[in-house]
């Protein structure tokens, strides 16, 4: 691997950011500074923290930023659930994004564990 852009989890998280931006564009306008802003920031934080972690020299630092990315992923997962409950997401759209985020969570968890060894 040459850098963070070679990581599948980074690539998948970039795809998720695009999905979140497109989806939240259809949310009610009164949510622009509410859940839309929160979801977009959480989504962007995932690949950003992966990139920052892989810009670090020591595994302990890398693991810290990957852990931050994992936290943002679980935050976004919660916001997706809330959005579905509020009727802002269709069931199909919700299931697609939850599937994406669950895969990213699994990948990040495995990556973090591999650095602990």
């Amino acid at each position: 691997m040459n850098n963070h852009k070679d990581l599948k989890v980074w690539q998948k998280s970039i795809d998720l950011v695009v999905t979140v931006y497109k989806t939240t564009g259809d949310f009610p306008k009164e949510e622009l500074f509410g859940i839309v802003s929160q979801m977009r920031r959480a989504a962007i934080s995932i690949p950003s923290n992966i990139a920052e972690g892989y810009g670090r020299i020591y595994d302990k630092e890398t693991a810290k930023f990957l852990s931050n990315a994992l936290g943002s992923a679980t935050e976004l997962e919660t916001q997706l659930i809330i959005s579905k409950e509020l009727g802002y997401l269709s069931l199909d759209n919700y299931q697609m994004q939850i599937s994406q985020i669950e895969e990213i969570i699994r990948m990040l968890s495995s990556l973090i564990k591999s650095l602990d060894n």
Side-chain angles (χ1 to χ4, degrees):
M1 185 188 77
N2 295 325
N3 61 44
H4 64 277
K5 292 179 277 187
D6 296 324
L7 289 169
K8 289 284 185 206
V9 69
W10 182 85
Q11 295 166 7
K12 289 180 181 291
S13 64
I14 291 292
D15 292 342
L16 179 63
V17 171
V18 172
T19 301
V20 167
Y21 263 76
K22 287 179 179 178
T23 302
T24 56
D26 295 332
F27 280 30
K29 296 301 172 213
E30 65 266 15
E31 287 294 347
L32 185 59
F33 299 106
I35 198 162
V36 170
S37 176
Q38 287 289 111
M39 289 176 71
R40 288 177 174 184
R41 282 184 288 158
I44 288 171
S45 180
I46 300 166
S48 298
N49 273 294
I50 293 168
E52 188 164 357
Y54 272 79
R56 301 297 172 141
I57 296 171
Y58 302 106
D59 283 351
K60 190 172 184 174
E61 289 180 308
T62 301
K64 175 186 177 288
F65 283 97
L66 292 177
S67 179
N68 290 344
L70 181 60
S72 293
T74 57
E75 177 183 355
L76 180 57
E77 180 183 39
T78 298
Q79 293 159 349
L80 287 168
I81 293 166
I82 293 166
S83 295
K84 180 190 63 99
E85 293 298 318
L86 290 171
Y88 297 159
L89 284 175
S90 69
L91 186 58
D92 287 344
N93 205 324
Y94 165 77
Q95 289 173 334
M96 184 222 9
Q97 288 182 68
I98 283 293
S99 177
Q100 284 180 285
I101 200 76
E102 287 173 347
E103 182 179 22
I104 290 167
I105 288 169
R106 282 191 303 276
M107 293 173 85
L108 282 169
S109 296
S110 294
L111 195 52
I112 292 166
K113 285 178 187 172
S114 75
L115 292 174
D116 287 339
N117 293 333

